[in-house]
Amino acid sequence: MAKPAGLGSINGAHHGGANNKGRRGARGRAAAAPRVTLIPGDGVGPEVIGAAVTVIEAVGVKIDWDRQLAGAAALRRFGSPVPDQLIDSLKSTGVALKGPLETRVGAGYRSINVYLRKLFDLYANVRPVITQAGLHTPFRGIDLIVIRENTEDLYAGIEHQVAPGVVESIKIITARASTRIARFAFDYARKHGRRLVTAIHKANIMKLSDGLFLKCAQRVARDYSDIAYQEQIVDAACMRLVTNPRAFDVLLLENLYGDIVSDLCAGLVGGLGFVPGANYGKRGAIFETVHGTAPDIAGKGIANPIAAIKTGALLLDYLDHDRAGGRIRAAVDTVLRAERTLTPDIGGKASTGDMAAAVIRALK
Ligand code: NAI
């Protein structure tokens, strides 16, 4: 698999926050363990993040974890879903491994994920969607990178009731955010030897907002003559993704389309239990799976930990421990190819812990 983007290596920004300066580049010389904020999250979060941490420990990378609560767990404990100590920790470490956080439908506090991404300006959400060795899925050889703008669009959450029965929700698209995510996508493509960026939009209907997003992508594309660029309307792109996913390479999307399309893409490679993710900004990163809290299976010990384990591998890449990240990915492949230890979502009977233990045994 192509090495996922450590933003530092793409855009020249350093990897972590203040306390992590000078701690990376650990290969070949002794360096203090990097300090990383660890947020177990809600629902299946503690189960799958716990699995990811045991695998990281087993691969031999020392991390100084700063455990923090967020979301529903923090609300119960501290009366706030984003306690001050969480924000202080993220400011200090600049990097986190985070479990999913509960956001209630139609009520409750606003998404803490969206809040954290905005607060730390983690503008680029990157989700590698790659055929998982050993899994029997309708398509082989899928190798897509979903790059989603993370800070604006309808996710700005600006909504109000105009009159009883009439609600307005405002979609914000700016040239600044559209240009920087387009540049991120092209830089990513160039760095990882990818050939095609597809901007996905609905500019036939949202002529101004999605039109601006496209204009910015077109302008950026002109600076990258080595990478092909195309555009597709989101509905047609979804149809094409489920009929000919190999026609795509790097997908560039606004926030809402990116959220929806990345779950669709997860379905192409075995489901939400397999797709890792990362949110990158100029000054830090938060690593998290695509999947949510999975309330229907939370607490049963049967969540598939592979997405979280692969998210842990992305974190190791970012911390310049990419050899260890590669060993984890290879171990995951070995376990799934063997088809002996599988969680119920992929037809097995293994527990989350069984799967993590199998990955640890397969580490070379
Ligand atoms: P979900 O991803 O939690 O679950 C969708 C379906 O996939 C469920 O049937 C679930 O059992 C299954 N699934 C998810 N992860 C799995 C895993 N690791 N192993 C096996 N099966 C798995 O999405 P849903 O139900 O829409 O959201 C539940 C909650 O999660 C909501 O409060 C939502 O806001 C939150 N959420 C949080 C995210 C984050 O913190 N980054 C991302 C997505 C949702």
Side-chain angles (χ1 to χ4, degrees):
M1 144 178 181
K3 182 180 181 254
L7 191 65
S9 52
I10 282 189
N11 287 352
H14 70 75
H15 287 162
N19 284 352
N20 276 326
K21 275 185 191 164
R23 290 187 182 213
R24 279 165 301 275
R27 235 176 284 141
R29 64 191 151 87
R35 194 159 167 76
V36 174
T37 303
L38 182 69
I39 305 166
D42 300 320
V44 296
E47 300 162 51
V48 296
I49 292 295
V53 168
T54 58
V55 172
I56 289 172
E57 282 167 358
V59 84
V61 176
K62 297 255 175 300
I63 292 186
D64 179 8
W65 299 110
D66 184 21
R67 287 173 191 268
Q68 295 290 337
L69 295 183
L75 184 65
R76 282 193 298 274
R77 177 89 168 267
F78 302 115
S80 163
V82 262
D84 290 347
Q85 56 266 47
L86 167 72
I87 301 301
D88 291 346
S89 172
L90 289 169
K91 278 184 184 156
S92 145
T93 63
V95 57
L97 177 61
K98 179 187 138 321
L101 301 176
E102 177 188 309
T103 309
R104 288 176 54 199
V105 174
Y109 49 80
R110 280 173 56 186
S111 165
I112 303 308
N113 300 310
V114 174
Y115 176 79
L116 293 176
R117 291 169 193 161
K118 283 195 82 165
L119 185 67
F120 292 99
D121 201 21
L122 303 173
Y123 66 91
N125 183 283
V126 178
R127 295 169 163 180
V129 179
I130 296 168
T131 293
Q132 173 60 59
L135 280 195
H136 305 287
T137 48
F139 299 100
R140 304 303 303 160
I142 295 176
D143 185 1
L144 305 173
I145 303 293
V146 179
I147 296 187
R148 159 185 173 194
E149 203 291 321
N150 232 358
T151 62
E152 53 183 34
D153 192 2
L154 284 160
Y155 279 62
I158 306 169
E159 297 187 311
H160 63 272
Q161 183 175 283
V162 180
V166 183
V167 167
E168 188 174 49
S169 184
I170 297 176
K171 170 164 172 151
I172 304 280
I173 297 292
T174 65
R176 176 179 170 271
S178 303
T179 301
R180 75 176 172 171
I181 194 67
R183 203 160 283 289
F184 183 98
F186 278 93
D187 282 342
Y188 185 101
R190 185 174 273 171
K191 180 168 169 54
H192 298 281
R194 291 180 173 270
R195 298 217 168 86
L196 170 68
V197 172
T198 305
I200 293 178
H201 66 93
K202 192 76 189 175
N204 50 331
I205 304 297
M206 277 160 283
K207 295 177 195 295
L208 284 185
S209 52
D210 285 17
L212 175 61
F213 184 80
L214 280 190
K215 262 187 214 140
C216 296
Q218 289 158 6
R219 249 182 246 130
V220 170
R222 280 186 219 125
D223 296 339
Y224 297 80
S225 56
D226 49 326
I227 294 158
Y229 171 72
Q230 66 175 17
E231 295 168 353
Q232 272 188 32
I233 295 175
V234 62
D235 35 0
C238 287
M239 194 278 296
R240 227 170 133 212
L241 275 164
V242 298
T243 52
N244 186 17
R246 291 170 62 180
F248 294 91
D249 188 353
V250 174
L251 308 185
L252 167 63
L253 306 104
E254 292 169 10
N255 208 341
L256 178 63
Y257 307 145
D259 193 3
I260 296 167
V261 169
S262 49
D263 274 34
L264 181 153
C265 289
L268 296 172
V269 295
L272 286 164
F274 293 95
V275 182
N279 306 286
Y280 298 107
K282 297 268 187 234
R283 291 181 305 278
I286 294 182
F287 293 82
E288 62 183 343
T289 61
V290 173
H291 72 72
T293 60
D296 49 338
I297 55 167
K300 296 184 178 165
I302 56 167
N304 184 342
I306 297 299
I309 290 170
K310 286 177 143 188
T311 299
L314 286 184
L315 166 71
L316 295 188
D317 294 337
Y318 181 77
L319 296 171
D320 282 346
H321 286 288
D322 36 346
R323 272 196 57 204
R327 285 174 60 209
I328 291 176
R329 283 184 283 270
V332 167
D333 289 354
T334 305
V335 170
L336 290 166
R337 278 207 183 98
E339 293 186 36
R340 276 195 298 274
T341 315
L342 306 174
T343 41
D345 57 308
I346 40 169
K349 292 196 170 130
S351 70
T352 310
D354 294 338
M355 195 100 148
V359 172
I360 290 169
R361 280 195 302 276
L363 282 172
K364 292 206 177 82

